[in-house]
Amino acid sequence: MRGFLLVLVTVLTLMASSCGAGKNKQAHTTERKTEKFNPAPTTPDTTFNFGLLINDWIGSPYKYGGCSKDGTDCSGMVYTFYKEVFGISLPRSSSELYEKAKKISIEEAKPGDLVFFATKSAKVSHVGMYMMDNKFVHSSTSKGVIISSLDETYYRERLVGFGAYR
């Protein structure tokens, strides 16, 4: 249970457009991204395991309404990852994920916790999973599943907050 809680805290987010469920749009084709999560040898096993599990998603193409490694949007990746890895069924949209999550601070965020962004208006429209060291994994409309930094101006200006399902 403790390992599950540590993994669950990380945040994944920010996408150039809102995350959706159910609408069909043609998948954007992207090159597979080679940057992978490389945990330091001193990180806890749960962080290491999260990093290894999320590596399978890196480079997956963006697909609005998608929820698999063959094509996914931001909330679809979070939904599928939590269901397959943790056995937890979460809401499907980024705004619902935010509404139902336990709000936490960045200091409390652990790998697997969620990070939320407002990319189109004041309403949450993008979600990602926190990794560590201000990094998060998310599905970008232009690049697919990538690792980004909360220190990047775009994400810093649109950050709404962090949430946990633990």
Side-chain angles (χ1 to χ4, degrees), residues 36-53:
K36 301 284 184 176
F37 177 66
N38 187 15
T42 57
T43 59
D45 287 341
T46 53
T47 302
F48 181 76
N49 290 338
F50 174 78
L52 290 177
L53 293 169

Side-chain angles (χ1 to χ4, degrees), residues 20-163:
K23 293 185 182 178
N24 290 326
K25 279 192 178 178
Q26 188 173 6
H28 295 285
T29 55
T30 60
E31 292 182 23
R32 298 283 293 181
K33 182 107 171 147
T34 57
E35 178 185 354
K36 301 284 184 176
F37 177 66
N38 187 15
T42 57
T43 59
D45 287 341
T46 53
T47 302
F48 181 76
N49 290 338
F50 174 78
L52 290 177
L53 293 169
I54 206 62
N55 274 343
D56 287 343
W57 286 84
I58 303 298
S60 296
Y62 176 82
K63 180 179 181 184
Y64 185 80
C67 57
S68 75
K69 294 174 194 170
D70 294 330
T72 188
D73 62 20
C74 63
S75 59
M77 183 183 74
V78 169
Y79 174 86
T80 302
F81 189 87
Y82 268 68
K83 189 168 186 157
E84 290 180 356
V85 174
F86 305 128
I88 297 175
S89 186
L90 296 180
R92 180 56 180 85
S93 74
S94 54
S95 60
E96 284 182 287
L97 284 164
Y98 179 72
E99 289 171 20
K100 297 183 190 258
K102 174 186 174 191
K103 306 311 181 274
I104 59 172
S105 68
I106 188 169
E107 293 79 20
E108 297 172 286
K110 296 184 183 355
D113 284 337
L114 304 183
V115 60
F116 298 96
F117 301 87
T119 58
K120 291 189 171 190
S121 67
K123 184 179 175 185
V124 169
S125 57
H126 188 65
V127 64
M129 288 185 284
Y130 186 75
M131 298 185 78
M132 59 192 303
D133 300 326
N134 273 356
K135 302 281 186 186
F136 67 100
V137 60
H138 63 113
S139 184
S140 158
T141 55
S142 61
K143 297 179 182 175
V145 178
I146 59 171
I147 296 170
S148 296
S149 173
L150 293 169
D151 296 326
E152 294 174 42
T153 303
Y154 181 86
Y155 299 111
R156 188 176 55 248
E157 290 177 350
R158 291 161 177 82
L159 179 65
V160 173
F162 296 84

